[in-house]
Amino acid sequence: MADEEDDIILSALSDDELVLQMHDDLYDGLKDEITEGVNILLERGWTPYDVLTKALVEGMRIVGIDFRDGILFVPEVLLAANAMKAGMFILRPLLAETGAPKQGKMVIGTVKGDIHDIGKNLVGMMMEGAGFDVVDLGINNPVENYLEAIEKEDADILGMSALLTTTMPYMKVVIDEMTAKGIRENYVVLVGGAPLNEEFGKAIGADAYCRDAAVAVETAKEFMEHRKHNQTA
Amino acid sequence: MRRGKKQRSGAGSATQPDFAAALEARLMEDGLDAPRVKATPEQVMLIACGALAREIIAVNEANGWDHAVLECLPAKLHNAPQHIAEAVRVKIRDAKARGFDSIFVLYADCGTGGALDAVCAQEGVERIPGPHCYAFFDGVETFETRHEEELGTLYLTDFFAKQFDALIWRGFGLDQAPEMRDILFAHYTRVVYLAQTENPELDAKAEEAAKRLGLSYERRFTGYGDLGTTLAGLAK
């Protein structure tokens, strides 16, 4: 009986109902259902950008809030991220074709000595969802990787991630090197990772510490607005 | 079609009947409180992670040291390190209120990002040095020297080998979604079991844990490492 009540035919839902259902499905980490929902909306003529922002990014925003408030924990967020990834897999090539609005470019990577990338991947995905071009350097990055990539990619933002107390000081090595080369002010530097906090972000000279992926997106957007404003002023 | 909403299982509820297993489960979930008696001048209050309780008791007993009163916070905080520093502060203040002049924290930084050190400094209390408990079992200096070449290693101690299922497998939701294993441990290549005791049963458990994670396995005997020398220093 309970199973029957739980069965929902996604294709029978109206657009608004389906989007809300997709928020629920992301929250519950249901990858197959997200794939199905994305395909249904596309078949109904939605633009890839609208599917991304209204169904996926908004759903992950809710996940992010409940993670921040201690209602969801890492496993649930991981499942949600995995479900979003399945949706992004369909949307990414379509977004490239349709030329969705671009916010800016971010180079992101986990610092040297650290192999943890789940949070960094989630930030990358959410940034992509918010219209940023994201260049992901992966894990265990020495300072040279960051410096080379931000220059080569003509990035606006550098994002650094660390999960370990022992590796997070390396972010300062990167920022100090940027300062020494006289390029620090050319980029917005955002840092994040479980053991970090705002005080640490300030102490190492980052522009901002972002406690989760949703905050990273909002912070990046604010800095980009500020930059555009300064450029036009 | 949509599946029913998943139910969270919760971590660490032990059903084993024996006392040792029940104690382990209690150390995981609730920690350990000492009897509410007033401190005597020679006593030192040890505030520790529940994952270290058996080892601390074993070292003190083996050496006949009875100067210490032990209180532990739940070992499950390992998966929520953002709560450790303030939880330790509560314990420190409680110990002070009970008249303990000598208080020592047996916690590594444990992913607090320096927050635990800040609390210790504010409260005028010292802690055992090191980034993680497995680092001080190994010896912090040795551990840090090897860090770069051992990148991609998941370390287990006796406690983590015993509690792998509760703390890691269920703790990270792998009982609900085993497919997440390859995402969570994508860049890990092996498990190294840093053994505090010679215990073939734990060796087998640790090896089984490595197998379940799809990683290679190595066992190294460390004994109590820096924990032993730290406790010896407190006994003087």
Side-chain angles (χ1 to χ4, degrees):
Chain A
M1 200 57 189
D3 281 350
E4 282 171 31
E5 283 171 13
D6 277 336
D7 284 349
I8 294 167
I9 310 296
L10 296 181
S11 58
L13 300 177
S14 71
D15 283 10
D16 287 348
E17 287 169 337
L18 179 54
V19 167
L20 290 176
Q21 186 59 51
M22 287 173 73
H23 294 169
D24 279 355
D25 288 346
L26 262 178
Y27 197 92
D28 291 339
L30 304 178
K31 190 168 94 172
D32 294 344
E33 285 76 0
I34 288 299
T35 302
E36 190 183 341
V38 166
N39 283 327
I40 292 169
L41 289 175
L42 290 172
E43 280 161 20
R44 289 182 186 174
W46 278 48
T47 65
Y49 182 71
D50 276 352
V51 178
L52 176 67
T53 52
K54 291 177 183 165
L56 300 189
V57 172
E58 176 57 18
M60 282 307 288
R61 195 184 66 82
I62 297 164
V63 169
I65 290 168
D66 278 5
F67 179 61
R68 196 182 317 164
D69 293 345
I71 297 164
L72 290 180
F73 296 90
V74 171
E76 287 94 341
V77 176
L78 275 181
L79 282 171
N82 206 35
M84 177 164 175
K85 198 172 163 189
M88 285 296 289
F89 183 75
I90 301 167
L91 294 174
R92 193 174 285 117
L94 304 175
L95 287 163
E97 280 171 24
T98 51
K102 285 293 169 199
Q103 294 265 7
K105 197 172 210 179
M106 178 189 220
V107 163
I108 189 168
T110 303
V111 297
K112 187 179 173 186
D114 205 320
I115 58 165
H116 300 93
D117 64 353
I118 290 165
K120 183 259 301 167
N121 292 347
L122 185 54
V123 170
M125 203 158 52
M126 288 288 279
M127 292 290 290
E128 213 180 332
F132 286 86
D133 276 328
V134 176
V135 179
D136 189 342
L137 303 180
I139 57 169
N140 190 24
N141 283 289
V143 60
E144 302 80 38
N145 288 15
Y146 290 113
L147 298 189
E148 192 186 316
I150 53 177
E151 191 187 344
K152 182 180 154 206
E153 299 292 343
D154 191 21
D156 303 293
I157 300 170
L158 171 63
M160 290 187 282
S161 168
L163 185 77
L164 304 174
T165 304
T166 45
T167 56
M168 64 190 220
Y170 195 79
M171 293 174 176
K172 186 172 187 307
V173 174
V174 178
I175 293 173
D176 286 351
E177 189 64 18
M178 288 169 78
T179 306
K181 290 191 176 301
I183 58 168
R184 170 64 186 88
E185 297 310 314
N186 300 347
Y187 305 94
V188 174
V189 179
L190 305 182
V191 296
L196 278 68
N197 57 35
E198 206 166 329
E199 201 181 358
F200 175 80
K202 276 186 194 151
I204 62 168
D207 288 299
Y209 153 73
C210 305
R211 61 178 291 174
D212 59 38
V215 171
V217 168
E218 289 313 311
T219 309
K221 278 182 178 173
E222 279 169 26
F223 273 105
M224 289 311 294
E225 276 303 311
H226 189 65
R227 283 192 132 199
K228 277 174 198 158
H229 176 77
N230 284 353
Q231 279 163 6
T232 52
Chain B
M1 294 291 238
R2 177 166 184 257
R3 297 199 303 270
K5 188 166 180 160
K6 293 189 184 83
Q7 296 294 313
R8 284 177 53 74
S9 66
S13 55
T15 54
Q16 300 95 324
D18 65 288
F19 175 76
L23 176 63
E24 294 284 337
R26 189 172 156 206
L27 289 168
M28 172 75 84
E29 288 296 314
D30 308 315
L32 187 72
D33 288 329
R36 305 290 296 180
V37 290
K38 269 194 92 64
T40 57
E42 67 277 8
Q43 279 181 319
V44 54
M45 167 62 83
L46 302 179
I47 296 168
C49 170
L52 303 172
R54 288 173 72 103
E55 288 71 18
I56 294 165
I57 291 167
V59 172
N60 281 340
E61 280 186 359
N63 291 285
W65 298 328
D66 57 2
H67 61 290
V69 177
L70 176 63
E71 295 230 344
C72 294
L73 289 162
K76 68 179 179 184
L77 287 179
H78 176 81
N79 285 353
Q82 69 273 24
H83 300 305
I84 290 173
E86 285 310 313
V88 168
R89 190 200 298 278
V90 169
K91 284 276 185 201
I92 292 172
R93 291 192 174 172
D94 181 55
K96 284 179 179 172
R98 287 157 64 188
F100 283 92
D101 293 326
S102 180
I103 301 168
F104 194 83
V105 173
L106 288 165
Y107 252 103
D109 174 80
C110 201
T112 68
L116 182 57
D117 281 333
V119 164
C120 287
Q122 286 156 12
E123 299 294 334
V125 168
E126 283 186 69
R127 76 162 173 93
I128 186 168
H132 306 284
C133 60
Y134 44 84
F136 62 65
F137 281 134
D138 201 17
V140 172
E141 264 186 62
T142 315
F143 183 85
E144 286 178 350
T145 311
R146 280 201 301 243
H147 176 75
E148 201 162 321
E149 67 195 63
E150 300 217 325
L151 211 55
T153 301
L154 178 74
Y155 297 98
L156 297 179
T157 62
D158 282 10
F159 185 86
F160 287 109
K162 265 179 260 177
Q163 296 295 338
F164 171 81
D165 211 45
L167 207 51
I168 297 176
W169 196 259
R170 293 203 303 274
F172 285 104
L174 293 173
D175 55 330
Q176 300 285 310
E179 71 273 16
M180 299 306 290
R181 180 195 78 166
D182 296 339
I183 295 173
L184 266 169
F185 296 94
H187 305 294
Y188 281 87
T189 54
R190 66 174 174 166
V191 166
V192 171
Y193 167 37
L194 301 171
Q196 282 69 67
T197 53
E198 296 289 0
N199 184 334
E201 202 180 312
L202 286 185
D203 186 17
K205 269 182 182 275
E207 189 164 11
E208 174 63 19
K211 201 171 157 189
R212 288 170 76 189
L213 294 176
L215 306 174
S216 67
Y217 176 69
E218 184 186 327
R219 178 186 184 275
R220 278 183 217 151
F221 180 78
T222 64
Y224 298 109
D226 292 351
L227 178 68
T229 48
T230 299
L231 290 172
L234 293 171
K236 280 175 191 165

